[in-house]
Amino acid sequence: MSNVMFFDKNKLSEKSTYTIDPYVGLSSYLYDRLNTPIVSSNGYNNDASTWTITVTFEATVTIDVMIIDGINATGVIEAYIGSAWTNIATISTSYKTFFKKLNSEISTNSIRIKLTNTGSNSEKTISEIIFTKMIGQLEKNPTRIESKLSESSKVH
């Protein structure tokens, strides 16, 4: 199986509504395609506490891939499906980058991330969130890349 996957654009945007206790103003950092600055909890530095980020999309979105960068805590990801919150992924260890390809697509208008244990009673952090769909995958990894340009057309 190939490790090379292609994705649709991130469903998060400035048109989404974010509930981040207490830093709503920092929500643009969650989809800016930069891994700094990070969004950090404030006062949730006890591993027994849960820090929740809720994203409400402008319209219903369909996703099957979740990527969270700069994450330092365990937790769960839930989607509002039908009339209830449903667990769609478990973050079982603190990752620098969390990646999850769902078994099937889901359609939702809201997703929440609930972070708990950092293992060191520190503030929970996230630098980037991507909710998207996989649109393709190579059957195998390429062994080499060959240019179709003639030598005379290459500019150095």
Side-chain angles (χ1 to χ4, degrees):
M1 175 175 266
S2 171
N3 294 327
V4 180
M5 299 178 187
F6 302 93
F7 302 106
D8 195 5
K9 69 179 186 172
N10 191 359
K11 304 303 180 185
L12 267 66
S13 73
E14 69 278 353
K15 294 180 180 180
S16 303
T17 303
Y18 302 86
T19 305
I20 307 168
D21 184 28
Y23 291 118
V24 177
L26 298 178
S27 62
S28 64
Y29 296 135
L30 294 175
Y31 59 88
D32 64 1
R33 298 181 59 197
L34 301 171
N35 57 4
T36 56
I38 60 171
V39 176
S40 177
S41 63
N42 184 9
Y44 292 88
N45 58 351
N46 181 318
D47 282 347
S49 64
T50 300
W51 184 49
T52 303
I53 297 174
T54 304
V55 178
T56 303
F57 301 99
E58 183 181 35
T60 299
V61 298
T62 301
I63 67 163
D64 65 358
V65 173
M66 297 172 286
I67 304 167
I68 304 175
D69 195 29
I71 188 169
N72 73 338
T74 61
V76 296
I77 302 172
E78 301 172 328
Y80 196 76
I81 300 172
S83 59
W85 288 102
T86 303
N87 184 339
I88 57 172
T90 299
I91 305 166
S92 58
T93 185
S94 294
Y95 295 90
K96 177 154 177 47
T97 302
F98 172 79
F99 174 87
K100 176 71 175 178
K101 168 77 172 84
L102 301 174
N103 293 330
S104 60
E105 294 179 348
I106 62 159
S107 293
T108 184
N109 66 346
S110 190
I111 294 177
R112 69 181 175 194
I113 302 167
K114 297 167 77 176
L115 299 179
T116 52
N117 189 356
T118 63
S120 61
N121 284 322
S122 56
E123 296 292 345
K124 286 90 172 153
T125 63
I126 290 180
S127 63
E128 185 76 15
I129 301 173
I130 299 171
F131 295 128
T132 188
K133 286 176 47 176
M134 187 173 80
I135 56 175
Q137 182 174 11
L138 296 181
E139 290 182 10
K140 62 180 183 174
N141 287 331
T143 54
R144 69 179 192 170
I145 298 174
E146 210 172 292
S147 173
K148 298 292 183 185
L149 298 173
S150 67
E151 288 297 319
S152 62
S153 65
K154 293 180 183 176
V155 177
H156 296 279

